[in-house]
Coordinates of all heavy atoms in Angstrom, one line a residue:
D134 N 36.7 4.1 0.5 CA 37.9 3.4 0.9 C 38.6 4.1 2.2 O 38.7 5.2 2.3 CB 38.8 3.5 -0.2 CG 40.1 2.6 0.0 OD1 39.9 1.3 0.0 OD2 41.1 3.1 0.3
S135 N 38.8 3.2 3.1 CA 39.3 3.7 4.4 C 40.7 4.2 4.3 O 41.1 4.9 5.1 CB 39.2 2.6 5.5 OG 39.9 1.4 5.1
T136 N 41.5 3.7 3.3 CA 42.9 4.1 3.1 C 43.0 5.3 2.4 O 43.7 6.4 2.7 CB 43.8 2.9 2.6 OG1 43.6 1.8 3.3 CG2 45.1 3.3 2.5
S137 N 42.4 5.4 1.2 CA 42.6 6.5 0.3 C 41.6 7.5 0.4 O 41.9 8.8 0.1 CB 42.5 6.0 -1.3 OG 41.3 5.5 -1.4
G138 N 40.4 7.3 1.1 CA 39.4 8.2 1.2 C 38.6 8.4 -0.1 O 37.7 9.2 -0.1
D139 N 38.9 7.7 -1.2 CA 38.2 7.7 -2.4 C 36.9 6.9 -2.4 O 36.7 6.0 -1.5 CB 39.0 7.1 -3.5 CG 40.1 8.0 -4.0 OD1 40.2 9.1 -3.5 OD2 41.0 7.5 -4.8
W140 N 35.9 7.4 -3.2 CA 34.6 6.6 -3.3 C 34.7 5.5 -4.2 O 35.4 5.8 -5.3 CB 33.5 7.6 -3.7 CG 33.0 8.4 -2.6 CD1 33.3 9.7 -2.4 CD2 32.2 8.0 -1.5 NE1 32.7 10.2 -1.2 CE2 32.0 9.2 -0.8 CE3 31.5 6.8 -1.1 CZ2 31.2 9.2 0.4 CZ3 30.8 6.9 0.0 CH2 30.6 8.0 0.8
M141 N 34.2 4.4 -4.0 CA 34.4 3.1 -4.8 C 32.9 2.7 -5.1 O 32.0 2.9 -4.5 CB 35.0 2.0 -4.1 CG 36.2 2.3 -3.4 SD 37.7 3.0 -4.4 CE 38.1 1.5 -5.3
L142 N 32.9 2.3 -6.5 CA 31.6 1.8 -7.1 C 31.7 0.4 -7.7 O 32.6 0.3 -8.4 CB 31.1 2.8 -8.2 CG 30.0 2.4 -9.1 CD1 28.7 2.2 -8.2 CD2 29.8 3.3 -10.3
K143 N 30.9 -0.5 -7.2 CA 30.9 -1.7 -7.7 C 29.5 -2.1 -8.5 O 28.5 -1.9 -7.8 CB 31.2 -2.8 -6.7 CG 31.2 -4.2 -7.2 CD 31.5 -5.4 -6.1 CE 31.5 -6.7 -6.8 NZ 31.7 -7.8 -5.7
V144 N 29.5 -2.6 -9.7 CA 28.4 -2.8 -10.5 C 28.5 -4.3 -10.8 O 29.6 -4.7 -11.5 CB 28.3 -1.9 -11.7 CG1 27.1 -2.4 -12.6 CG2 28.1 -0.4 -11.2
T145 N 27.4 -5.0 -10.6 CA 27.4 -6.4 -11.1 C 26.1 -6.6 -11.8 O 25.1 -6.1 -11.4 CB 27.4 -7.4 -9.9 OG1 28.5 -7.0 -9.0 CG2 27.3 -8.8 -10.2
G146 N 26.2 -7.3 -13.0 CA 25.0 -7.5 -13.7 C 25.2 -8.5 -14.9 O 26.3 -9.0 -15.1
S147 N 24.3 -8.3 -15.9 CA 24.5 -9.0 -17.2 C 24.1 -8.2 -18.3 O 23.3 -7.3 -18.3 CB 23.6 -10.3 -17.2 OG 22.2 -10.0 -16.9
A148 N 24.5 -8.5 -19.5 CA 24.3 -7.7 -20.8 C 22.9 -8.1 -21.2 O 22.2 -9.1 -21.0 CB 25.3 -8.2 -21.9
V149 N 22.2 -7.0 -21.9 CA 20.8 -7.3 -22.4 C 20.8 -6.9 -23.9 O 21.8 -6.3 -24.4 CB 19.8 -6.2 -21.6 CG1 19.8 -6.6 -20.1 CG2 20.4 -4.8 -21.7
R150 N 19.8 -7.5 -24.6 CA 19.6 -7.2 -25.8 C 18.4 -6.0 -26.1 O 17.5 -6.2 -25.4 CB 19.2 -8.4 -26.7 CG 18.9 -8.2 -28.1 CD 19.0 -9.4 -29.0 NE 18.0 -10.4 -28.6 CZ 17.4 -11.4 -29.4 NH1 17.6 -11.2 -30.7 NH2 16.7 -12.3 -28.9
T151 N 18.8 -4.9 -26.8 CA 17.8 -4.1 -27.1 C 17.4 -4.0 -28.6 O 18.3 -4.3 -29.4 CB 18.2 -2.7 -26.7 OG1 19.4 -2.3 -27.3 CG2 18.4 -2.6 -25.1
G152 N 16.2 -3.7 -28.9 CA 15.8 -3.6 -30.3 C 16.0 -2.1 -30.8 O 15.4 -1.1 -30.2
L153 N 16.7 -1.8 -31.8 CA 16.9 -0.5 -32.4 C 15.8 -0.2 -33.4 O 15.1 -1.0 -34.0 CB 18.2 -0.3 -33.0 CG 19.5 -0.8 -32.2 CD1 20.7 -0.6 -32.9 CD2 19.5 0.0 -30.9
G154 N 15.7 1.2 -33.6 CA 14.8 1.7 -34.6 C 13.9 2.8 -34.1 O 13.2 3.3 -34.9
C155 N 13.6 2.9 -32.8 CA 12.7 3.9 -32.4 C 13.3 5.4 -32.8 O 14.6 5.6 -32.5 CB 12.6 3.9 -30.9 SG 11.7 2.3 -30.3

Side-chain angles (χ1 to χ4, degrees):
D134 184 80
S135 58
T136 301
S137 67
D139 288 353
W140 286 100
M141 311 299 289
L142 168 67
K143 181 179 181 180
V144 177
T145 305
S147 56
V149 297
R150 177 162 57 142
T151 59
L153 304 182
C155 299

